[in-house]
Amino acid sequence: MNITDHALMRWAQRIEEDHISSQVVFKDWKVLNPDKVIQYEKDLREAFKRAEYLTEGVYDNKKQLSKFYIDKEGLLLYVVGKDGNMVTLYDINFGMSRVRNKNILVEILGEILEKEKEQQEFEKKKDEEKKELERKRKKKKKKKDELREKLGLLESDQGLINKQIENTRNKGKVLDMHIKNTYRKIIKSIEF
């Protein structure tokens, strides 16, 4: 694994502290301390061996996918680019003492582990749950289609009844007119 200058600078800053305050100072320091550079690269590679894969995500504003590794004991987070180069590293620091920082990290990692187990359980049950819900959905759709068919028949029956009512009404009107016409025939047949 290649180590970028930025990652090496961050490692050297942890050891040299105030002596390396910027990228420019680091370049000068690197030229003046070739033995330390070789040793720090070796130490950094050795320290990285203790790190465990944590997750993948976007590291910088270039939106490049990177892999994150964590050294729980050393309280370090390593960022490795998609090309396999170690891009940088960070101290894990929640603003507490080293012991409390470790405890907080353990708590956070424990929370992640619990949620990952929950997710795995969910993924196992998800397919069964989806099948059951799909079965219920099909059953409801079938019932809905049956009810629509029944509703269609009821509406058709209602339409027939409405026509029968109209026919009955019309039949009454026809009979009424027939009676009135018959009365008119009698009345008009009288001669004056």
Side-chain angles (χ1 to χ4, degrees):
M1 164 187 302
N2 290 329
I3 298 172
T4 64
D5 270 355
H6 191 265
L8 185 60
M9 179 186 77
R10 300 282 291 163
W11 182 261
Q13 282 176 330
R14 297 178 82 239
I15 300 162
E16 300 288 329
E17 296 176 354
D18 294 337
H19 298 290
I20 303 173
S21 57
S22 69
Q23 197 82 26
V24 175
V25 173
F26 176 69
K27 282 184 180 180
D28 293 339
W29 177 89
K30 200 173 162 184
V31 171
L32 297 172
N33 297 286
D35 293 341
K36 282 187 176 181
V37 169
I38 292 168
Q39 185 61 47
Y40 287 175
E41 282 183 357
K42 182 181 173 187
D43 293 345
L44 181 53
R45 281 191 176 84
E46 196 60 36
F48 183 74
K49 289 178 184 177
R50 293 189 305 267
E52 301 171 26
Y53 174 78
L54 183 65
T55 189
E56 273 187 4
V58 176
Y59 159 66
D60 57 11
N61 53 6
K62 295 176 188 170
K63 305 211 186 256
Q64 293 180 358
L65 192 62
S66 299
K67 292 181 180 179
F68 296 86
Y69 294 83
I70 190 167
D71 177 355
K72 294 178 219 172
E73 287 303 310
L75 290 174
L76 288 171
L77 181 70
Y78 299 93
V79 180
V80 177
K82 64 181 178 181
D83 54 6
N85 294 332
M86 183 186 298
V87 177
T88 193
L89 62 116
Y90 294 99
D91 287 321
I92 297 172
N93 187 345
F94 301 105
M96 305 290 177
S97 69
R98 185 163 179 80
V99 171
R100 286 193 174 140
N101 281 336
K102 277 187 184 183
N103 290 339
I104 292 169
L105 179 62
V106 167
E107 285 294 319
I108 292 171
L109 291 174
E111 180 74 19
I112 290 170
L113 189 60
E114 285 177 28
K115 292 300 176 190
E116 284 176 342
K117 284 180 184 177
E118 268 183 53
Q119 186 180 25
Q120 287 171 355
E121 288 299 314
F122 170 76
E123 290 297 324
K124 285 179 189 175
K125 294 177 184 177
K126 179 177 76 174
D127 289 336
E128 292 171 24
E129 191 173 326
K130 279 172 59 179
K131 284 178 188 175
E132 179 62 22
L133 290 170
E134 187 62 35
R135 187 189 64 74
K136 285 180 180 179
R137 184 173 70 157
K138 285 179 181 177
K139 189 176 177 181
K140 295 291 180 191
K141 185 184 181 314
K142 184 178 178 184
K143 183 72 173 172
K144 199 164 92 174
D145 291 344
E146 288 171 0
L147 290 172
R148 276 194 183 126
E149 189 177 326
K150 283 182 182 179
L151 181 62
L153 291 173
L154 287 172
E155 286 174 346
S156 178
D157 285 351
Q158 186 181 18
L160 289 174
I161 291 169
N162 288 341
K163 285 182 182 179
Q164 287 174 344
I165 290 170
E166 187 65 31
N167 285 341
T168 303
R169 205 179 287 138
N170 288 339
K171 194 175 189 179
K173 287 179 184 178
V174 168
L175 287 173
D176 186 47
M177 285 183 67
H178 183 67
I179 291 170
K180 286 180 183 175
N181 283 338
T182 305
Y183 277 125
R184 275 191 208 119
K185 283 181 188 177
I186 294 173
I187 294 170
K188 289 192 178 184
S189 68
I190 302 173
E191 296 217 8
F192 291 98

mmCIF file with all atom_site columns, all heavy atoms in Angstrom, residues 83-108:
data_model
loop_
_atom_site.group_PDB
_atom_site.id
_atom_site.type_symbol
_atom_site.label_atom_id
_atom_site.label_alt_id
_atom_site.label_comp_id
_atom_site.label_asym_id
_atom_site.label_entity_id
_atom_site.label_seq_id
_atom_site.pdbx_PDB_ins_code
_atom_site.Cartn_x
_atom_site.Cartn_y
_atom_site.Cartn_z
_atom_site.occupancy
_atom_site.B_iso_or_equiv
_atom_site.pdbx_formal_charge
_atom_site.auth_seq_id
_atom_site.auth_comp_id
_atom_site.auth_asym_id
_atom_site.auth_atom_id
_atom_site.pdbx_PDB_model_num
ATOM 1   N N   . ASP A 1 83  ? -7.989  3.586  -5.097 1.00 0.00 ? 83  ASP A N   1
ATOM 2   C CA  . ASP A 1 83  ? -6.773  3.089  -5.737 1.00 0.00 ? 83  ASP A CA  1
ATOM 3   C C   . ASP A 1 83  ? -5.897  2.282  -4.774 1.00 0.00 ? 83  ASP A C   1
ATOM 4   O O   . ASP A 1 83  ? -4.851  1.768  -5.149 1.00 0.00 ? 83  ASP A O   1
ATOM 5   C CB  . ASP A 1 83  ? -5.966  4.252  -6.324 1.00 0.00 ? 83  ASP A CB  1
ATOM 6   C CG  . ASP A 1 83  ? -5.665  5.331  -5.280 1.00 0.00 ? 83  ASP A CG  1
ATOM 7   O OD1 . ASP A 1 83  ? -5.979  5.137  -4.082 1.00 0.00 ? 83  ASP A OD1 1
ATOM 8   O OD2 . ASP A 1 83  ? -5.120  6.381  -5.677 1.00 0.00 ? 83  ASP A OD2 1
ATOM 9   N N   . GLY A 1 84  ? -6.331  2.180  -3.519 1.00 0.00 ? 84  GLY A N   1
ATOM 10  C CA  . GLY A 1 84  ? -5.588  1.401  -2.529 1.00 0.00 ? 84  GLY A CA  1
ATOM 11  C C   . GLY A 1 84  ? -4.544  2.204  -1.776 1.00 0.00 ? 84  GLY A C   1
ATOM 12  O O   . GLY A 1 84  ? -3.850  1.667  -0.917 1.00 0.00 ? 84  GLY A O   1
ATOM 13  N N   . ASN A 1 85  ? -4.411  3.481  -2.062 1.00 0.00 ? 85  ASN A N   1
ATOM 14  C CA  . ASN A 1 85  ? -3.449  4.325  -1.355 1.00 0.00 ? 85  ASN A CA  1
ATOM 15  C C   . ASN A 1 85  ? -4.061  4.840  -0.052 1.00 0.00 ? 85  ASN A C   1
ATOM 16  O O   . ASN A 1 85  ? -5.230  5.206  -0.013 1.00 0.00 ? 85  ASN A O   1
ATOM 17  C CB  . ASN A 1 85  ? -3.055  5.538  -2.210 1.00 0.00 ? 85  ASN A CB  1
ATOM 18  C CG  . ASN A 1 85  ? -2.285  5.117  -3.443 1.00 0.00 ? 85  ASN A CG  1
ATOM 19  O OD1 . ASN A 1 85  ? -1.617  4.096  -3.461 1.00 0.00 ? 85  ASN A OD1 1
ATOM 20  N ND2 . ASN A 1 85  ? -2.393  5.910  -4.488 1.00 0.00 ? 85  ASN A ND2 1
ATOM 21  N N   . MET A 1 86  ? -3.219  4.891  0.985  1.00 0.00 ? 86  MET A N   1
ATOM 22  C CA  . MET A 1 86  ? -3.671  5.484  2.238  1.00 0.00 ? 86  MET A CA  1
ATOM 23  C C   . MET A 1 86  ? -3.664  7.001  2.033  1.00 0.00 ? 86  MET A C   1
ATOM 24  O O   . MET A 1 86  ? -2.617  7.607  1.836  1.00 0.00 ? 86  MET A O   1
ATOM 25  C CB  . MET A 1 86  ? -2.765  5.104  3.411  1.00 0.00 ? 86  MET A CB  1
ATOM 26  C CG  . MET A 1 86  ? -3.276  5.649  4.736  1.00 0.00 ? 86  MET A CG  1
ATOM 27  S SD  . MET A 1 86  ? -2.148  5.357  6.124  1.00 0.00 ? 86  MET A SD  1
ATOM 28  C CE  . MET A 1 86  ? -2.081  3.586  6.185  1.00 0.00 ? 86  MET A CE  1
ATOM 29  N N   . VAL A 1 87  ? -4.855  7.589  2.080  1.00 0.00 ? 87  VAL A N   1
ATOM 30  C CA  . VAL A 1 87  ? -5.009  9.005  1.792  1.00 0.00 ? 87  VAL A CA  1
ATOM 31  C C   . VAL A 1 87  ? -4.658  9.849  3.008  1.00 0.00 ? 87  VAL A C   1
ATOM 32  O O   . VAL A 1 87  ? -3.923  10.832 2.911  1.00 0.00 ? 87  VAL A O   1
ATOM 33  C CB  . VAL A 1 87  ? -6.457  9.308  1.341  1.00 0.00 ? 87  VAL A CB  1
ATOM 34  C CG1 . VAL A 1 87  ? -6.657  10.790 1.096  1.00 0.00 ? 87  VAL A CG1 1
ATOM 35  C CG2 . VAL A 1 87  ? -6.800  8.502  0.102  1.00 0.00 ? 87  VAL A CG2 1
ATOM 36  N N   . THR A 1 88  ? -5.190  9.460  4.158  1.00 0.00 ? 88  THR A N   1
ATOM 37  C CA  . THR A 1 88  ? -4.936  10.215 5.389  1.00 0.00 ? 88  THR A CA  1
ATOM 38  C C   . THR A 1 88  ? -5.314  9.368  6.589  1.00 0.00 ? 88  THR A C   1
ATOM 39  O O   . THR A 1 88  ? -5.770  8.231  6.443  1.00 0.00 ? 88  THR A O   1
ATOM 40  C CB  . THR A 1 88  ? -5.712  11.554 5.395  1.00 0.00 ? 88  THR A CB  1
ATOM 41  O OG1 . THR A 1 88  ? -5.219  12.373 6.448  1.00 0.00 ? 88  THR A OG1 1
ATOM 42  C CG2 . THR A 1 88  ? -7.201  11.362 5.537  1.00 0.00 ? 88  THR A CG2 1
ATOM 43  N N   . LEU A 1 89  ? -5.133  9.933  7.754  1.00 0.00 ? 89  LEU A N   1
ATOM 44  C CA  . LEU A 1 89  ? -5.552  9.287  8.986  1.00 0.00 ? 89  LEU A CA  1
ATOM 45  C C   . LEU A 1 89  ? -5.950  10.360 9.989  1.00 0.00 ? 89  LEU A C   1
ATOM 46  O O   . LEU A 1 89  ? -5.522  11.510 9.881  1.00 0.00 ? 89  LEU A O   1
ATOM 47  C CB  . LEU A 1 89  ? -4.437  8.404  9.557  1.00 0.00 ? 89  LEU A CB  1
ATOM 48  C CG  . LEU A 1 89  ? -3.155  9.124  9.951  1.00 0.00 ? 89  LEU A CG  1
ATOM 49  C CD1 . LEU A 1 89  ? -2.939  8.987  11.446 1.00 0.00 ? 89  LEU A CD1 1
ATOM 50  C CD2 . LEU A 1 89  ? -1.996  8.523  9.183  1.00 0.00 ? 89  LEU A CD2 1
ATOM 51  N N   . TYR A 1 90  ? -6.797  9.969  10.913 1.00 0.00 ? 90  TYR A N   1
ATOM 52  C CA  . TYR A 1 90  ? -7.291  10.905 11.919 1.00 0.00 ? 90  TYR A CA  1
ATOM 53  C C   . TYR A 1 90  ? -7.235  10.263 13.288 1.00 0.00 ? 90  TYR A C   1
ATOM 54  O O   . TYR A 1 90  ? -7.484  9.063  13.439 1.00 0.00 ? 90  TYR A O   1
ATOM 55  C CB  . TYR A 1 90  ? -8.761  11.273 11.657 1.00 0.00 ? 90  TYR A CB  1
ATOM 56  C CG  . TYR A 1 90  ? -8.982  12.033 10.394 1.00 0.00 ? 90  TYR A CG  1
ATOM 57  C CD1 . TYR A 1 90  ? -9.416  11.393 9.237  1.00 0.00 ? 90  TYR A CD1 1
ATOM 58  C CD2 . TYR A 1 90  ? -8.783  13.397 10.355 1.00 0.00 ? 90  TYR A CD2 1
ATOM 59  C CE1 . TYR A 1 90  ? -9.643  12.095 8.069  1.00 0.00 ? 90  TYR A CE1 1
ATOM 60  C CE2 . TYR A 1 90  ? -9.005  14.119 9.187  1.00 0.00 ? 90  TYR A CE2 1
ATOM 61  C CZ  . TYR A 1 90  ? -9.438  13.455 8.052  1.00 0.00 ? 90  TYR A CZ  1
ATOM 62  O OH  . TYR A 1 90  ? -9.648  14.150 6.910  1.00 0.00 ? 90  TYR A OH  1
ATOM 63  N N   . ASP A 1 91  ? -6.958  11.083 14.273 1.00 0.00 ? 91  ASP A N   1
ATOM 64  C CA  . ASP A 1 91  ? -7.125  10.645 15.650 1.00 0.00 ? 91  ASP A CA  1
ATOM 65  C C   . ASP A 1 91  ? -8.615  10.633 15.936 1.00 0.00 ? 91  ASP A C   1
ATOM 66  O O   . ASP A 1 91  ? -9.332  11.552 15.555 1.00 0.00 ? 91  ASP A O   1
ATOM 67  C CB  . ASP A 1 91  ? -6.450  11.622 16.629 1.00 0.00 ? 91  ASP A CB  1
ATOM 68  C CG  . ASP A 1 91  ? -4.929  11.517 16.601 1.00 0.00 ? 91  ASP A CG  1
ATOM 69  O OD1 . ASP A 1 91  ? -4.432  10.382 16.488 1.00 0.00 ? 91  ASP A OD1 1
ATOM 70  O OD2 . ASP A 1 91  ? -4.267  12.565 16.686 1.00 0.00 ? 91  ASP A OD2 1
ATOM 71  N N   . ILE A 1 92  ? -9.075  9.607  16.602 1.00 0.00 ? 92  ILE A N   1
ATOM 72  C CA  . ILE A 1 92  ? -10.477 9.568  17.032 1.00 0.00 ? 92  ILE A CA  1
ATOM 73  C C   . ILE A 1 92  ? -10.515 10.272 18.383 1.00 0.00 ? 92  ILE A C   1
ATOM 74  O O   . ILE A 1 92  ? -9.943  9.791  19.366 1.00 0.00 ? 92  ILE A O   1
ATOM 75  C CB  . ILE A 1 92  ? -10.984 8.122  17.132 1.00 0.00 ? 92  ILE A CB  1
ATOM 76  C CG1 . ILE A 1 92  ? -10.927 7.478  15.750 1.00 0.00 ? 92  ILE A CG1 1
ATOM 77  C CG2 . ILE A 1 92  ? -12.395 8.087  17.708 1.00 0.00 ? 92  ILE A CG2 1
ATOM 78  C CD1 . ILE A 1 92  ? -11.207 6.006  15.738 1.00 0.00 ? 92  ILE A CD1 1
ATOM 79  N N   . ASN A 1 93  ? -11.157 11.410 18.404 1.00 0.00 ? 93  ASN A N   1
ATOM 80  C CA  . ASN A 1 93  ? -11.125 12.246 19.601 1.00 0.00 ? 93  ASN A CA  1
ATOM 81  C C   . ASN A 1 93  ? -12.491 12.898 19.779 1.00 0.00 ? 93  ASN A C   1
ATOM 82  O O   . ASN A 1 93  ? -12.931 13.682 18.949 1.00 0.00 ? 93  ASN A O   1
ATOM 83  C CB  . ASN A 1 93  ? -10.039 13.313 19.452 1.00 0.00 ? 93  ASN A CB  1
ATOM 84  C CG  . ASN A 1 93  ? -9.844  14.105 20.715 1.00 0.00 ? 93  ASN A CG  1
ATOM 85  O OD1 . ASN A 1 93  ? -10.662 14.092 21.624 1.00 0.00 ? 93  ASN A OD1 1
ATOM 86  N ND2 . ASN A 1 93  ? -8.740  14.826 20.766 1.00 0.00 ? 93  ASN A ND2 1
ATOM 87  N N   . PHE A 1 94  ? -13.150 12.561 20.872 1.00 0.00 ? 94  PHE A N   1
ATOM 88  C CA  . PHE A 1 94  ? -14.453 13.134 21.183 1.00 0.00 ? 94  PHE A CA  1
ATOM 89  C C   . PHE A 1 94  ? -14.333 14.273 22.197 1.00 0.00 ? 94  PHE A C   1
ATOM 90  O O   . PHE A 1 94  ? -15.305 14.668 22.820 1.00 0.00 ? 94  PHE A O   1
ATOM 91  C CB  . PHE A 1 94  ? -15.385 12.043 21.725 1.00 0.00 ? 94  PHE A CB  1
ATOM 92  C CG  . PHE A 1 94  ? -15.584 10.914 20.755 1.00 0.00 ? 94  PHE A CG  1
ATOM 93  C CD1 . PHE A 1 94  ? -14.958 9.686  20.957 1.00 0.00 ? 94  PHE A CD1 1
ATOM 94  C CD2 . PHE A 1 94  ? -16.356 11.076 19.620 1.00 0.00 ? 94  PHE A CD2 1
ATOM 95  C CE1 . PHE A 1 94  ? -15.126 8.644  20.064 1.00 0.00 ? 94  PHE A CE1 1
ATOM 96  C CE2 . PHE A 1 94  ? -16.525 10.039 18.713 1.00 0.00 ? 94  PHE A CE2 1
ATOM 97  C CZ  . PHE A 1 94  ? -15.911 8.832  18.934 1.00 0.00 ? 94  PHE A CZ  1
ATOM 98  N N   . GLY A 1 95  ? -13.103 14.741 22.365 1.00 0.00 ? 95  GLY A N   1
ATOM 99  C CA  . GLY A 1 95  ? -12.874 15.852 23.280 1.00 0.00 ? 95  GLY A CA  1
ATOM 100 C C   . GLY A 1 95  ? -12.773 15.427 24.738 1.00 0.00 ? 95  GLY A C   1
ATOM 101 O O   . GLY A 1 95  ? -12.932 16.252 25.641 1.00 0.00 ? 95  GLY A O   1
ATOM 102 N N   . MET A 1 96  ? -12.503 14.173 24.955 1.00 0.00 ? 96  MET A N   1
ATOM 103 C CA  . MET A 1 96  ? -12.394 13.633 26.322 1.00 0.00 ? 96  MET A CA  1
ATOM 104 C C   . MET A 1 96  ? -10.987 13.076 26.517 1.00 0.00 ? 96  MET A C   1
ATOM 105 O O   . MET A 1 96  ? -10.149 13.151 25.644 1.00 0.00 ? 96  MET A O   1
ATOM 106 C CB  . MET A 1 96  ? -13.431 12.513 26.522 1.00 0.00 ? 96  MET A CB  1
ATOM 107 C CG  . MET A 1 96  ? -14.848 12.892 26.241 1.00 0.00 ? 96  MET A CG  1
ATOM 108 S SD  . MET A 1 96  ? -15.424 14.008 27.516 1.00 0.00 ? 96  MET A SD  1
ATOM 109 C CE  . MET A 1 96  ? -17.050 14.368 26.944 1.00 0.00 ? 96  MET A CE  1
ATOM 110 N N   . SER A 1 97  ? -10.779 12.493 27.695 1.00 0.00 ? 97  SER A N   1
ATOM 111 C CA  . SER A 1 97  ? -9.500  11.820 27.944 1.00 0.00 ? 97  SER A CA  1
ATOM 112 C C   . SER A 1 97  ? -9.416  10.594 27.045 1.00 0.00 ? 97  SER A C   1
ATOM 113 O O   . SER A 1 97  ? -10.413 10.143 26.482 1.00 0.00 ? 97  SER A O   1
ATOM 114 C CB  . SER A 1 97  ? -9.415  11.391 29.412 1.00 0.00 ? 97  SER A CB  1
ATOM 115 O OG  . SER A 1 97  ? -10.352 10.348 29.668 1.00 0.00 ? 97  SER A OG  1
ATOM 116 N N   . ARG A 1 98  ? -8.214  10.068 26.912 1.00 0.00 ? 98  ARG A N   1
ATOM 117 C CA  . ARG A 1 98  ? -8.006  8.897  26.047 1.00 0.00 ? 98  ARG A CA  1
ATOM 118 C C   . ARG A 1 98  ? -8.900  7.734  26.474 1.00 0.00 ? 98  ARG A C   1
ATOM 119 O O   . ARG A 1 98  ? -9.513  7.074  25.631 1.00 0.00 ? 98  ARG A O   1
ATOM 120 C CB  . ARG A 1 98  ? -6.532  8.506  26.089 1.00 0.00 ? 98  ARG A CB  1
ATOM 121 C CG  . ARG A 1 98  ? -6.185  7.384  25.123 1.00 0.00 ? 98  ARG A CG  1
ATOM 122 C CD  . ARG A 1 98  ? -4.682  7.308  24.892 1.00 0.00 ? 98  ARG A CD  1
ATOM 123 N NE  . ARG A 1 98  ? -4.342  6.232  24.008 1.00 0.00 ? 98  ARG A NE  1
ATOM 124 C CZ  . ARG A 1 98  ? -4.430  6.267  22.689 1.00 0.00 ? 98  ARG A CZ  1
ATOM 125 N NH1 . ARG A 1 98  ? -4.859  7.355  22.095 1.00 0.00 ? 98  ARG A NH1 1
ATOM 126 N NH2 . ARG A 1 98  ? -4.090  5.230  21.952 1.00 0.00 ? 98  ARG A NH2 1
ATOM 127 N N   . VAL A 1 99  ? -8.996  7.494  27.783 1.00 0.00 ? 99  VAL A N   1
ATOM 128 C CA  . VAL A 1 99  ? -9.820  6.389  28.291 1.00 0.00 ? 99  VAL A CA  1
ATOM 129 C C   . VAL A 1 99  ? -11.286 6.625  27.926 1.00 0.00 ? 99  VAL A C   1
ATOM 130 O O   . VAL A 1 99  ? -11.979 5.725  27.443 1.00 0.00 ? 99  VAL A O   1
ATOM 131 C CB  . VAL A 1 99  ? -9.654  6.238  29.826 1.00 0.00 ? 99  VAL A CB  1
ATOM 132 C CG1 . VAL A 1 99  ? -10.667 5.258  30.397 1.00 0.00 ? 99  VAL A CG1 1
ATOM 133 C CG2 . VAL A 1 99  ? -8.228  5.798  30.161 1.00 0.00 ? 99  VAL A CG2 1
ATOM 134 N N   . ARG A 1 100 ? -11.750 7.842  28.141 1.00 0.00 ? 100 ARG A N   1
ATOM 135 C CA  . ARG A 1 100 ? -13.155 8.144  27.818 1.00 0.00 ? 100 ARG A CA  1
ATOM 136 C C   . ARG A 1 100 ? -13.389 8.100  26.306 1.00 0.00 ? 100 ARG A C   1
ATOM 137 O O   . ARG A 1 100 ? -14.455 7.667  25.851 1.00 0.00 ? 100 ARG A O   1
ATOM 138 C CB  . ARG A 1 100 ? -13.546 9.501  28.387 1.00 0.00 ? 100 ARG A CB  1
ATOM 139 C CG  . ARG A 1 100 ? -13.724 9.434  29.886 1.00 0.00 ? 100 ARG A CG  1
ATOM 140 C CD  . ARG A 1 100 ? -14.402 10.652 30.435 1.00 0.00 ? 100 ARG A CD  1
ATOM 141 N NE  . ARG A 1 100 ? -14.664 10.458 31.853 1.00 0.00 ? 100 ARG A NE  1
ATOM 142 C CZ  . ARG A 1 100 ? -14.518 11.391 32.751 1.00 0.00 ? 100 ARG A CZ  1
ATOM 143 N NH1 . ARG A 1 100 ? -14.133 12.608 32.395 1.00 0.00 ? 100 ARG A NH1 1
ATOM 144 N NH2 . ARG A 1 100 ? -14.775 11.148 34.010 1.00 0.00 ? 100 ARG A NH2 1
ATOM 145 N N   . ASN A 1 101 ? -12.425 8.555  25.546 1.00 0.00 ? 101 ASN A N   1
ATOM 146 C CA  . ASN A 1 101 ? -12.552 8.457  24.090 1.00 0.00 ? 101 ASN A CA  1
ATOM 147 C C   . ASN A 1 101 ? -12.717 7.000  23.660 1.00 0.00 ? 101 ASN A C   1
ATOM 148 O O   . ASN A 1 101 ? -13.539 6.687  22.808 1.00 0.00 ? 101 ASN A O   1
ATOM 149 C CB  . ASN A 1 101 ? -11.350 9.084  23.383 1.00 0.00 ? 101 ASN A CB  1
ATOM 150 C CG  . ASN A 1 101 ? -11.421 10.595 23.334 1.00 0.00 ? 101 ASN A CG  1
ATOM 151 O OD1 . ASN A 1 101 ? -12.485 11.186 23.413 1.00 0.00 ? 101 ASN A OD1 1
ATOM 152 N ND2 . ASN A 1 101 ? -10.261 11.230 23.215 1.00 0.00 ? 101 ASN A ND2 1
ATOM 153 N N   . LYS A 1 102 ? -11.925 6.110  24.268 1.00 0.00 ? 102 LYS A N   1
ATOM 154 C CA  . LYS A 1 102 ? -12.035 4.673  23.953 1.00 0.00 ? 102 LYS A CA  1
ATOM 155 C C   . LYS A 1 102 ? -13.414 4.156  24.346 1.00 0.00 ? 102 LYS A C   1
ATOM 156 O O   . LYS A 1 102 ? -14.045 3.397  23.605 1.00 0.00 ? 102 LYS A O   1
ATOM 157 C CB  . LYS A 1 102 ? -10.955 3.863  24.675 1.00 0.00 ? 102 LYS A CB  1
ATOM 158 C CG  . LYS A 1 102 ? -9.640  3.841  23.971 1.00 0.00 ? 102 LYS A CG  1
ATOM 159 C CD  . LYS A 1 102 ? -8.674  2.889  24.651 1.00 0.00 ? 102 LYS A CD  1
ATOM 160 C CE  . LYS A 1 102 ? -7.317  2.960  23.986 1.00 0.00 ? 102 LYS A CE  1
ATOM 161 N NZ  . LYS A 1 102 ? -6.370  2.010  24.549 1.00 0.00 ? 102 LYS A NZ  1
ATOM 162 N N   . ASN A 1 103 ? -13.877 4.554  25.533 1.00 0.00 ? 103 ASN A N   1
ATOM 163 C CA  . ASN A 1 103 ? -15.192 4.092  25.997 1.00 0.00 ? 103 ASN A CA  1
ATOM 164 C C   . ASN A 1 103 ? -16.307 4.576  25.077 1.00 0.00 ? 103 ASN A C   1
ATOM 165 O O   . ASN A 1 103 ? -17.233 3.828  24.751 1.00 0.00 ? 103 ASN A O   1
ATOM 166 C CB  . ASN A 1 103 ? -15.457 4.562  27.430 1.00 0.00 ? 103 ASN A CB  1
ATOM 167 C CG  . ASN A 1 103 ? -14.578 3.841  28.435 1.00 0.00 ? 103 ASN A CG  1
ATOM 168 O OD1 . ASN A 1 103 ? -14.054 2.764  28.173 1.00 0.00 ? 103 ASN A OD1 1
ATOM 169 N ND2 . ASN A 1 103 ? -14.396 4.447  29.592 1.00 0.00 ? 103 ASN A ND2 1
ATOM 170 N N   . ILE A 1 104 ? -16.219 5.819  24.662 1.00 0.00 ? 104 ILE A N   1
ATOM 171 C CA  . ILE A 1 104 ? -17.221 6.362  23.740 1.00 0.00 ? 104 ILE A CA  1
ATOM 172 C C   . ILE A 1 104 ? -17.175 5.600  22.424 1.00 0.00 ? 104 ILE A C   1
ATOM 173 O O   . ILE A 1 104 ? -18.214 5.229  21.870 1.00 0.00 ? 104 ILE A O   1
ATOM 174 C CB  . ILE A 1 104 ? -17.001 7.876  23.518 1.00 0.00 ? 104 ILE A CB  1
ATOM 175 C CG1 . ILE A 1 104 ? -17.314 8.639  24.803 1.00 0.00 ? 104 ILE A CG1 1
ATOM 176 C CG2 . ILE A 1 104 ? -17.850 8.391  22.365 1.00 0.00 ? 104 ILE A CG2 1
ATOM 177 C CD1 . ILE A 1 104 ? -16.890 10.105 24.778 1.00 0.00 ? 104 ILE A CD1 1
ATOM 178 N N   . LEU A 1 105 ? -15.967 5.343  21.923 1.00 0.00 ? 105 LEU A N   1
ATOM 179 C CA  . LEU A 1 105 ? -15.816 4.602  20.676 1.00 0.00 ? 105 LEU A CA  1
ATOM 180 C C   . LEU A 1 105 ? -16.425 3.204  20.805 1.00 0.00 ? 105 LEU A C   1
ATOM 181 O O   . LEU A 1 105 ? -17.144 2.747  19.910 1.00 0.00 ? 105 LEU A O   1
ATOM 182 C CB  . LEU A 1 105 ? -14.343 4.506  20.269 1.00 0.00 ? 105 LEU A CB  1
ATOM 183 C CG  . LEU A 1 105 ? -14.065 3.729  18.986 1.00 0.00 ? 105 LEU A CG  1
ATOM 184 C CD1 . LEU A 1 105 ? -14.742 4.393  17.792 1.00 0.00 ? 105 LEU A CD1 1
ATOM 185 C CD2 . LEU A 1 105 ? -12.560 3.609  18.756 1.00 0.00 ? 105 LEU A CD2 1
ATOM 186 N N   . VAL A 1 106 ? -16.151 2.541  21.923 1.00 0.00 ? 106 VAL A N   1
ATOM 187 C CA  . VAL A 1 106 ? -16.714 1.198  22.154 1.00 0.00 ? 106 VAL A CA  1
ATOM 188 C C   . VAL A 1 106 ? -18.244 1.266  22.135 1.00 0.00 ? 106 VAL A C   1
ATOM 189 O O   . VAL A 1 106 ? -18.903 0.409  21.541 1.00 0.00 ? 106 VAL A O   1
ATOM 190 C CB  . VAL A 1 106 ? -16.192 0.609  23.484 1.00 0.00 ? 106 VAL A CB  1
ATOM 191 C CG1 . VAL A 1 106 ? -16.987 -0.615 23.904 1.00 0.00 ? 106 VAL A CG1 1
ATOM 192 C CG2 . VAL A 1 106 ? -14.712 0.264  23.352 1.00 0.00 ? 106 VAL A CG2 1
ATOM 193 N N   . GLU A 1 107 ? -18.803 2.283  22.779 1.00 0.00 ? 107 GLU A N   1
ATOM 194 C CA  . GLU A 1 107 ? -20.261 2.456  22.801 1.00 0.00 ? 107 GLU A CA  1
ATOM 195 C C   . GLU A 1 107 ? -20.812 2.663  21.390 1.00 0.00 ? 107 GLU A C   1
ATOM 196 O O   . GLU A 1 107 ? -21.811 2.062  21.013 1.00 0.00 ? 107 GLU A O   1
ATOM 197 C CB  . GLU A 1 107 ? -20.665 3.639  23.694 1.00 0.00 ? 107 GLU A CB  1
ATOM 198 C CG  . GLU A 1 107 ? -20.558 3.371  25.171 1.00 0.00 ? 107 GLU A CG  1
ATOM 199 C CD  . GLU A 1 107 ? -21.544 2.316  25.647 1.00 0.00 ? 107 GLU A CD  1
ATOM 200 O OE1 . GLU A 1 107 ? -22.714 2.330  25.194 1.00 0.00 ? 107 GLU A OE1 1
ATOM 201 O OE2 . GLU A 1 107 ? -21.144 1.470  26.457 1.00 0.00 ? 107 GLU A OE2 1
ATOM 202 N N   . ILE A 1 108 ? -20.175 3.528  20.651 1.00 0.00 ? 108 ILE A N   1
ATOM 203 C CA  . ILE A 1 108 ? -20.636 3.822  19.287 1.00 0.00 ? 108 ILE A CA  1
ATOM 204 C C   . ILE A 1 108 ? -20.536 2.577  18.407 1.00 0.00 ? 108 ILE A C   1
ATOM 205 O O   . ILE A 1 108 ? -21.468 2.244  17.678 1.00 0.00 ? 108 ILE A O   1
ATOM 206 C CB  . ILE A 1 108 ? -19.850 4.997  18.675 1.00 0.00 ? 108 ILE A CB  1
ATOM 207 C CG1 . ILE A 1 108 ? -20.201 6.293  19.412 1.00 0.00 ? 108 ILE A CG1 1
ATOM 208 C CG2 . ILE A 1 108 ? -20.127 5.132  17.182 1.00 0.00 ? 108 ILE A CG2 1
ATOM 209 C CD1 . ILE A 1 108 ? -19.333 7.481  19.029 1.00 0.00 ? 108 ILE A CD1 1
#
